[in-house]
Each structure stands twice: as C-alpha cells, then as structure tokens.
Amino acid sequence: MHLYLTTNSELCSFNQNQKLKKKMALKVAALFCALLITNLAAYPSEAAITCMDVDMCVAPCVSYLTGAESSPTADCCKGVERLKSLPSSTDERRFACSCVKQAASKIANLKDDAVKSLPAACKTPLPFPISLEFDCSTIP
C-alpha cells in the first residue's frame, strides 16, 4: 500500500501528528512510572501483609476480648495462629503490631486481661504483645 501526500502541508501535518502521539505516549508512561514509584515508596511494608489481613485474624476474637465469651473460640485461635504466621520480617512484624493496635483502638469495651491473655489462651505466642501501649518500633 502506498501513501501519497500531495502537498508539503499534508506532510507537515502528518509529521506533527506523529510527534504529538509520541509525546503523549511518553507523558503517559512517565505518569505511570511516577505513580508506581510513589505507591512503592508510600507503602513499603504492606507488600506482603495488610491491615485487612490482620483485621481478619483478630475479628473472630472480639467476643472474647470484650468479655462476652469466657474463652476464645476455635475460629479466634485459628486467627491468632494465622496472625503469628503472617509477618516474616521485622518490618512486617512491626506493621502487623501497628495494625493490631489500630484494630484494638476501634473495639469498644476491651478487657485488658483478655487482650493480654489471648495468645496464651490460644496456646499461640505472638512475636509481639497485644497492647495499645506497646511501642511497635521496638520489635526486633
């Protein structure tokens, strides 16, 4: 197939359109890269674990933690076991600890003794204590 351009103005117009398309493609690619880098920098420790993961582990324990149940349910203890296995690095343990604190701060009528005894009650020690006062940045 042959493309015949009859005037120089058509040739210039064709070249300008090609240049505009290339510039637009470069701008879109640059924007995509900038957004990707921004997201990676803003959420470095959330790559493997999220607060939603942690919340799902803790949610079945609310009735025990508020005193509605005298012992944790089997689902609660499964959640504690999963919470123990989720974080694999120091950053992830610190992040999970922060998520637990956030979740606990939203639960009304928490019983301190139930909160502190949860890992032992489930026979699953955690790599960090469950406490609103604990400084998560001290986790090794």
Side-chain angles (χ1 to χ4, degrees), residues 1-69:
M1 178 174 160
H2 295 285
L3 177 64
Y4 294 101
L5 300 174
T6 57
T7 67
N8 279 343
S9 65
E10 288 177 341
L11 180 59
C12 287
S13 177
F14 176 77
N15 285 336
Q16 287 175 337
N17 284 340
Q18 292 297 88
K19 287 179 184 179
L20 286 174
K21 286 181 183 179
K22 284 183 183 180
K23 283 183 181 180
M24 184 60 79
L26 287 173
K27 286 180 181 180
V28 168
L31 178 61
F32 176 78
C33 288
L35 289 172
L36 182 63
I37 290 168
T38 301
N39 281 334
L40 289 175
Y43 304 105
S45 63
E46 292 186 283
I49 185 174
T50 67
C51 280
M52 181 66 79
D53 295 329
V54 173
D55 291 348
M56 289 173 50
C57 293
V58 177
C61 302
V62 170
S63 60
Y64 173 70
L65 296 173
T66 57
E69 305 243 355

Side-chain angles (χ1 to χ4, degrees), residues 6-139:
T6 57
T7 67
N8 279 343
S9 65
E10 288 177 341
L11 180 59
C12 287
S13 177
F14 176 77
N15 285 336
Q16 287 175 337
N17 284 340
Q18 292 297 88
K19 287 179 184 179
L20 286 174
K21 286 181 183 179
K22 284 183 183 180
K23 283 183 181 180
M24 184 60 79
L26 287 173
K27 286 180 181 180
V28 168
L31 178 61
F32 176 78
C33 288
L35 289 172
L36 182 63
I37 290 168
T38 301
N39 281 334
L40 289 175
Y43 304 105
S45 63
E46 292 186 283
I49 185 174
T50 67
C51 280
M52 181 66 79
D53 295 329
V54 173
D55 291 348
M56 289 173 50
C57 293
V58 177
C61 302
V62 170
S63 60
Y64 173 70
L65 296 173
T66 57
E69 305 243 355
S70 60
S71 61
T73 64
D75 285 341
C76 170
C77 289
K78 285 179 187 175
V80 173
E81 288 175 21
R82 177 153 163 69
L83 181 58
K84 180 182 178 181
S85 68
L86 280 177
S88 59
S89 69
T90 297
D91 286 341
E92 288 178 349
R93 284 189 291 277
R94 290 176 179 173
F95 183 76
C97 174
S98 296
C99 292
V100 167
K101 286 176 67 171
Q102 284 177 1
S105 71
K106 296 174 186 170
I107 301 171
N109 302 320
L110 276 180
K111 306 296 182 207
D112 288 337
D113 55 337
V115 172
K116 291 177 185 173
S117 68
L118 179 62
C122 287
K123 298 178 178 71
T124 306
L126 293 175
F128 51 84
I130 301 176
S131 166
L132 290 175
E133 292 81 34
F134 184 73
D135 181 1
C136 297
S137 68
T138 63
I139 295 174

